[in-house]
């Protein structure tokens, strides 16, 4: 009933405004005549009308702001409009809240959760930023904010301050218009009038500058002040280190190396093996195993080159020996000795963060100006019933296998699962791979997944997509999984070992992070801003611990930003650039990508053209019997600007480097076409796909004239 009464009052007020000549009070002449006779009454009348117009969201607020300047002058008009607009906006805000907020929140609360959380945390700054953007209609902000949980006081104060710059510009323009005493060119083009209109035109850019420099700066300082408040008494007067890095994976090693290179005092803390997951359980061992598997595959298929081979056997322990020997050969690059020699203080112990400036490790307490968190990620082990009763491994523990499993079940068809599934299959293990999604490597285009699946099927891998693993069972020596298909049917899949490859989660637990109450995203990664700062400006995160990409090379990429911002942020901070991030899945054929693929372009509504070159046409691919795959380039329609590249084929991860360079530095396909490529090489395919683009964009009309010219020359 209360809502109906409020709605009735609003409707009655709207009808009354138009019915009883309210539009007249949107004309400057109405106030000019009254102001000369009774200034105080006119000011009160204008104030009341302005409040009504804004409260009822009636078009005309901008016009009335100009009128205020023209009739009352800059100072009086500014004060009048500033308070009237804020009061009216608050009334509109309250109306929206009383009438609609409960219904909207109950209906769409789950979708609005992130917005509600953001408003609750930083609502005033968010509103302040919106008030500085003149493109967004004044009344829309009033009504929309009423649907959120921002407090009325915060709304009023943020509106009062946020609208001040725009109000000043409009009132100033109105006051200058009011000073025009002649319609002659000289009367209109007075410098003050020209400046007023220039300011009006520049308002969006002024607002953007204020928002970027002032609002963001104030917001960050306010957030930092709140974050540091509980620890202010613990801040040391002097510091032992410029930076402490926690984690000696790719991100931590690069951050430490950069700090040492610029002569900063840096301590690197690692509780496990130097080199992190990439060296010890990830990139390096998996590629070594893939190489061993590829060797067996090549020998088996050597007959196509006229080389006959007898039965090929696998010594699994020696194959795993090759994996561990590879790790040992690369270990010195990431060793304690090397980094200490470069000037890094290395502690092999578990780190414990005491406060934003203090870290304990190895019996030492270290005070530091900055902390870089690079603790990485670990395989996610899903809580599937019966898992502890069977033999299972992850991408971290599979390297401890001493006997080759006859049957391997791989749960997860992403890059890790696909790479290891094919490697074990080519070593002679019977492999079954299951995934809940509709296809393998689902982040790639459908045709890419189809290519990978075709090769896997030819390798003898049993692929079961759209299957959910519901339980594991052991019956004596028999181990099996229960998997449920989309239609509800259940199958039993026997195995000797099951590999869980369903994703990785950030190591955001422990290390004393609970003391800091760092913000963690729903996916478990640490939340950071564009400069890789956590809610404490002196604490940074880089690599898998924060994402958004879980690649060794992106961890190193982020580490540069984190360390440089930590050490030199007093002068200049750099926002992490994710515009050109390449990656590869090292199946055979490899799948490499940089930028957009077709499914992402469609999801984002981005227009594109596709240019494809199949490798079965490439001379070197034919000579090497490596004709599987293609290169697909997406470009801006009618232009050679590259939006993204997907390569499926032998050494795709190497071939794509040319496109990474091109996209990073704005080089288009036309220049790639004009670049000499060595013949015969796989990289020559890059030039040919550029030729495909050229032919598709050939200027047919011009070529018609050229053809006539050549005919004329023959006459």
């Amino acid at each position: 009933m209360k809502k109906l009464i409020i709605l009735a009052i609003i409707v009655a007020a709207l009808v009354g405004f138009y019915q009883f000549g309210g539009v007249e009070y949107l004309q400057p002449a109405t106030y000019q005549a009254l102001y000369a006779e009774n200034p105080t009454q006119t000011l009160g009348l204008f104030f009341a009308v302005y409040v009504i117009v804004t409260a009822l969201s009636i078009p005309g607020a901008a016009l009335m702001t100009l009128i205020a300047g023209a009739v009352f002058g800059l100072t009086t008009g500014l004060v009048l409009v500033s308070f009237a607009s804020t009061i009216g906006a608050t009334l509109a805000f309250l109306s929206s809240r009383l009438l609609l907020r409960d219904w909207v929140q109950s209906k769409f609360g789950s979708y609005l959760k992130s917005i509600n959380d953001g408003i609750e945390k930083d609502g005033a700054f968010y509103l302040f930023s919106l008030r500085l953007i003149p493109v967004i209609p004044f009344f829309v902000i009033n009504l929309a904010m009423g649907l959120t949980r921002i407090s009325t006081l915060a709304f009023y104060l943020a509106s009062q301050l946020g609208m001040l710059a725009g109000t000043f510009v409009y009132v100033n323009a109105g006051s200058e218009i009011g000073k025009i005493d002649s319609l002659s060119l000289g009367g209109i083009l007075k410098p003050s009038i020209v400046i007023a209109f220039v300011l009006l035109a520049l308002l969006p850019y002024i607002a953007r500058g204020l928002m970027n420099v002032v609002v963001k700066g104030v917001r960050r300082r306010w957030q930092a002040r709140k974050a540091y408040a509980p620890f202010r008494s613990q801040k040391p007067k002097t510091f032992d280190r410029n930076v402490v890095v926690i984690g000696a994976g790719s991100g931590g090693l690069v951050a430490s190396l950069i700090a040492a290179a610029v002569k900063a005092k840096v301590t690197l803390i690692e509780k496990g093996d130097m080199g992190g997951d990439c060296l010890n359980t990830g990139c390096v061992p998996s590629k070594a195993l893939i190489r061993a598997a590829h060797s067996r595959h090549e020998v088996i298929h050597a007959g196509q080159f006229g080389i006959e081979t007898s039965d090929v056997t696998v010594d699994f322990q020696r194959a795993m020996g090759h994996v561990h020997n590879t790790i040992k050969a690369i270990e010195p690059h990431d060793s304690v000795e090397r980094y200490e020699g470069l000037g890094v203080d290395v502690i092999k112990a578990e780190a414990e963060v005491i406060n934003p400036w203090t870290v304990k490790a190895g019996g030492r307490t270290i005070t530091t100006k900055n902390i870089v968190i690079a603790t990485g990620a670990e395989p996610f082990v899903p809580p599937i019933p019966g898992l502890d009763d069977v033999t299972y491994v992850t991408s971290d523990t599979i390297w401890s296998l001493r006997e080759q499993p006859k049957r391997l079940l791989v749960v997860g068809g992403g890059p890790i699962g696909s790479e290891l599934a094919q490697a074990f299959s080519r070593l002679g293990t019977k492999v079954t791979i299951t995934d809940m999604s509709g296809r393998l490597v689902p982040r790639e285009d459908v045709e890419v997944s189809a290519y990978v699946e075709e090769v896997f099927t030819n390798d003898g891998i049993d692929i079961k997509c759209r299957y959910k693993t519901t339980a594991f069972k052991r019956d004596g020596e028999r181990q099996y999984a229960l998997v449920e298909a989309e239609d509800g049917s259940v199958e039993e899949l026997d195995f000797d070992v099951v590999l869980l490859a369903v994703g990785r989660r950030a190591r955001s637990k422990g290390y004393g992070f609970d003391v800091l109450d760092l913000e963690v995203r729903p996916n478990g990664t640490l939340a950071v801003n564009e400069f890789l700062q956590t809610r404490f400006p002196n604490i940074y995160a880089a690599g898998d611990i924060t994402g958004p990409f879980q690649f060794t090379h992106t961890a190193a990429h982020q580490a540069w930003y984190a360390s440089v911002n930590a050490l030199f942020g007093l002068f200049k901070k750099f926002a992490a650039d994710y515009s050109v991030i390449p990656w590869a899945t090292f199946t055979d054929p490899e799948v490499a990508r940089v930028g957009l693929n077709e499914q992402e372009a469609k999801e984002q509504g981005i227009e594109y053209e596709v240019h494809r070159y199949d490798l079965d046409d490439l001379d070197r691919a034919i000579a090497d019997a490596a004709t599987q795959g293609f290169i697909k380039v997406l470009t801006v329609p009618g232009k050679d600007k590259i939006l993204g590249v997907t390569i499926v084929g032998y050494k795709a991860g190497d071939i794509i480097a040319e496109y990474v360079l091109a996209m990073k530095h704005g080089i288009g396909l036309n220049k790639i076409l004009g670049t000499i490529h060595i013949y015969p090489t796989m990289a020559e395919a890059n030039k040919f796909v550029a030729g495909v683009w050229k032919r598709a964009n050939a200027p047919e009309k011009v070529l018609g004239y050229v053809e006539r010219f050549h005919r004329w020359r023959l006459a």
Side-chain angles (χ1 to χ4, degrees), residues 543-582:
D544 292 0
I545 183 64
T546 186
F549 302 97
Q550 291 189 337
F551 306 128
T552 297
H553 48 281
T554 52
H557 178 71
Q558 288 178 315
W560 183 91
Y561 290 95
S563 55
V564 169
N565 287 338
L567 297 169
F568 302 106
L570 180 65
F571 308 104
K572 168 71 176 175
K573 289 191 185 73
F574 298 88
D577 179 14
Y578 303 117
S579 58
V580 183
I581 300 292

Side-chain angles (χ1 to χ4, degrees), residues 211-381:
M211 189 166 65
N212 288 337
V213 178
V214 179
V215 180
K216 286 186 178 180
V218 171
R219 179 173 177 264
R220 287 195 176 109
R221 281 192 289 272
W222 176 259
Q223 289 177 332
R225 185 180 180 85
K226 287 197 299 181
Y228 286 125
F231 306 98
R232 194 163 288 120
S233 62
Q234 302 175 37
K235 185 175 182 179
K237 293 182 179 179
T238 59
F239 300 91
D240 302 323
R241 292 287 180 268
N242 296 104
V243 61
V244 166
V245 180
I246 302 174
S250 176
L253 291 174
V254 171
S256 302
L257 187 62
I258 291 171
V262 296
K263 305 304 179 184
K265 289 188 174 181
V266 54
T267 293
L268 172 63
I269 304 172
E270 172 56 64
K271 66 178 179 179
D273 295 324
M274 295 286 286
D277 299 326
C278 181
L279 172 61
N280 299 288
T281 60
C283 315
V284 171
S286 64
K287 303 311 165 284
L289 186 69
I290 287 170
R291 184 65 185 89
H294 184 68
S295 295
R296 178 176 183 267
H297 183 75
E298 281 190 316
V299 172
I300 290 173
H301 292 85
Q304 64 182 318
F305 300 108
I307 301 172
E308 296 301 327
T309 58
S310 59
D311 185 45
V312 181
T313 59
V314 173
D315 185 332
F316 187 72
Q317 288 192 6
R318 289 182 64 187
M320 278 298 189
H322 163 66
V323 170
H324 293 290
N325 289 336
T326 302
I327 295 172
K328 288 179 182 178
I330 297 175
E331 271 180 353
H333 301 168
D334 301 340
S335 66
V336 172
E337 293 75 19
R338 183 190 177 215
Y339 276 78
E340 285 182 339
L342 294 169
V344 179
D345 172 37
V346 182
I347 302 176
K348 289 300 298 301
E350 184 167 353
E352 181 186 1
V353 178
I354 306 302
N355 60 47
W357 310 278
T358 309
V359 181
K360 281 186 177 181
R364 294 167 55 185
T365 300
I366 306 164
T367 58
T368 178
K369 288 284 287 183
N370 301 282
I371 298 172
V372 174
I373 299 171
T375 51
E378 60 193 4
F380 172 65
V381 178

Side-chain angles (χ1 to χ4, degrees), residues 665-678:
H665 297 286
I667 298 170
L669 289 178
N670 213 26
K671 289 188 176 179
I672 290 177
L673 181 61
T675 301
I676 297 174
H677 291 69
I678 296 173

Side-chain angles (χ1 to χ4, degrees), residues 444 448 583-585 589-594 615 629-633 645-659 685-686:
E444 308 301 337
V448 175
W583 65 82
T585 300
E590 293 178 4
V591 178
R593 179 149 71 89
V594 61
L615 295 179
F630 56 86
I631 298 179
K632 182 168 65 171
V633 181
V645 180
T646 298
I647 303 179
V648 178
Y650 178 66
K651 294 294 182 183
D654 297 327
I655 298 171
I656 204 166
E658 185 170 9
Y659 293 108
N686 293 338

Side-chain angles (χ1 to χ4, degrees), residues 16 53 79 118 136 180 292 325 375 411 427 470 482 513 596 664:
V53 167
V79 173
I136 301 176
I180 296 176
N325 289 336
T375 51
V411 180
L427 286 171
T470 58
L482 299 178
F513 294 159
L596 293 173
K664 179 68 176 177

